[in-house]
Amino acid sequence: MAKKLLIPVDFSQYSNKAIEYALQLSKTAKHDLVLVHVFTDHINVYRNSIENTDLLDPRVAKAKDEMDKLIADLKKANPEIAVSRVFGDGNLFEEIGKLVAVESYDAIIMGTKGSSGLDSLLIGSNMFDVFQNTQTPVLAIPFSDKPYKSEKIGLLCNFKDGEIDVLKQATALYTEDFELVLIHINTTDETIQALDSKFAEFITRIIAETGIDDISYIIKTQAFLIQYKEDISSAIDSVIADELLDVLLVTKSKKGFLRKIVEENIVKKMAYQIQIPKFFARSNA
């Protein structure tokens, strides 16, 4: 079965950045790309154009032309990568939900503005809604001039089975050829000795179950949070900056995502603040 990536497209520079990132992933992990454009501004505008050509809306014709040109350009520059298209209309996350329900995708790759304020909130909310309503991982790509890199990837870590499950999902995109940084926020104030022991055991499991063997870890303590008046989300942002991470993996498990993190609703916060690509995945463990 072909490996596939699903990319929502609105022909903006933001979705173009997501396509560019997906192309780079595909050159390593060999994925087919499926571009989906959803007409969200008018219900049934696309369906009506299919069922009755007399009702063809100019927006449909324009979108089809833009999609055809986009795919032609992609195939010309990357003839080895298969690219196809899908159209739909209505709510973005519902339409994407229908697609991933009938066909398997390794990830949904979505472009974001990576900005602050209202634009960031709207874009982040859109991405977060897709993540909340599908079982497929969502990879959020900020608009940036930084070159594509996946050499150093961070994982928010609380020593759970689900985190290894999410790592396995991430290797479908990045293979195992990266440095993994485990990030633990010590909200229960465990001793460093106890945490070092947990890390040693957890790293052994990661190596055995995923094949990733270049692994380090970082612990943020309660004292750090108090001293610098940081919440967990800002502490994680500081790790991203200090460690020069290329990607961050975020786990959403059935049993909850780190009690304190749930209290801060950090998954949603991070969906609204995208400085580097973030891989949001749901654990089945």
Side-chain angles (χ1 to χ4, degrees):
M1 182 182 295
K3 298 170 65 176
K4 295 184 177 182
L5 300 174
L6 182 65
I7 307 141
V9 171
D10 62 3
F11 313 110
S12 68
Q13 59 184 339
Y14 308 107
S15 66
N16 287 344
K17 180 61 68 172
I19 294 170
E20 179 184 320
Y21 195 93
L23 283 169
Q24 294 297 325
L25 287 175
S26 299
K27 289 176 181 178
T28 302
K30 311 301 181 188
H31 287 90
D32 293 349
L33 306 187
V34 180
L35 311 184
V36 55
H37 178 74
V38 178
F39 297 93
T40 57
D41 56 346
H42 191 287
I43 303 300
N44 293 336
V45 62
Y46 178 68
R47 189 172 304 140
N48 289 342
S49 73
I50 298 299
E51 295 172 355
N52 185 346
T53 55
D54 292 336
L55 296 176
L56 181 62
D57 190 294
R59 288 169 295 184
V60 174
K62 184 175 185 292
K64 284 187 173 182
D65 286 344
E66 288 192 69
M67 184 72 88
D68 288 345
K69 183 180 185 307
L70 176 59
I71 290 178
D73 290 344
L74 289 174
K75 287 183 175 179
K76 183 177 180 181
N78 308 273
E80 75 285 4
I81 296 175
V83 185
S84 58
R85 67 178 195 177
V86 179
F87 290 99
D89 48 19
N91 184 291
L92 179 64
F93 71 78
E94 287 180 352
E95 290 302 304
I96 288 177
K98 292 174 187 176
L99 291 173
V100 299
V102 297
E103 194 158 6
S104 177
Y105 293 88
D106 283 334
I108 302 161
I109 302 186
M110 298 185 68
T112 73
K113 292 188 177 182
S115 58
S116 58
L118 183 60
D119 283 343
S120 176
L121 182 67
L122 293 173
I123 295 295
S125 179
N126 209 10
M127 189 281 292
F128 190 71
D129 284 343
V130 171
F131 171 61
Q132 286 287 78
N133 289 278
T134 69
Q135 297 297 314
T136 304
V138 175
L139 179 57
I141 308 299
F143 184 78
S144 169
D145 293 328
K146 293 179 182 178
Y148 164 90
K149 289 178 66 179
S150 58
E151 297 166 5
K152 197 171 187 179
I153 296 180
L155 171 68
L156 302 185
C157 174
N158 204 36
F159 316 107
K160 300 295 186 183
D161 292 346
E163 292 152 10
I164 295 180
D165 185 32
V166 167
L167 260 179
K168 291 175 182 176
Q169 293 177 62
T171 59
L173 274 65
Y174 296 105
T175 69
E176 299 85 26
D177 188 22
F178 57 84
E179 176 186 351
L180 176 64
V181 180
L182 303 176
I183 304 165
H184 178 72
I185 310 299
N186 188 13
T187 57
T188 58
D189 214 18
E190 284 191 79
T191 67
I192 295 300
Q193 292 81 0
L195 288 174
D196 283 341
S197 177
K198 284 186 175 182
F199 271 115
E201 182 181 345
F202 198 60
I203 287 171
T204 298
R205 283 191 59 197
I206 289 173
I207 294 170
E209 295 186 39
T210 71
I212 301 166
D213 58 9
D214 185 359
I215 305 172
S216 60
Y217 60 87
I218 290 174
I219 301 168
K220 288 290 187 181
T221 64
Q222 285 276 42
F224 173 88
L225 297 177
I226 294 167
Q227 179 181 352
Y228 293 99
K229 297 182 173 61
E230 289 197 343
D231 60 16
I232 291 176
S233 57
S234 55
I236 291 168
D237 283 340
S238 72
V239 173
I240 290 172
D242 292 345
E243 295 297 313
L244 301 176
L245 296 180
D246 299 318
V247 183
L248 183 69
L249 311 182
V250 183
T251 307
K252 176 94 174 183
S253 68
K254 289 179 180 177
K255 296 180 181 179
F257 174 72
L258 308 182
R259 185 182 301 274
K260 178 64 177 176
I261 280 182
V262 169
E263 289 171 6
E264 289 190 18
N265 205 359
I266 191 169
V267 175
K268 197 164 190 175
K269 282 188 179 181
M270 288 192 296
Y272 293 163
Q273 300 169 8
I274 308 290
Q275 295 87 22
I276 62 172
K278 291 180 180 175
F279 182 84
F280 295 83
R282 193 179 306 278
S283 165
N284 297 314

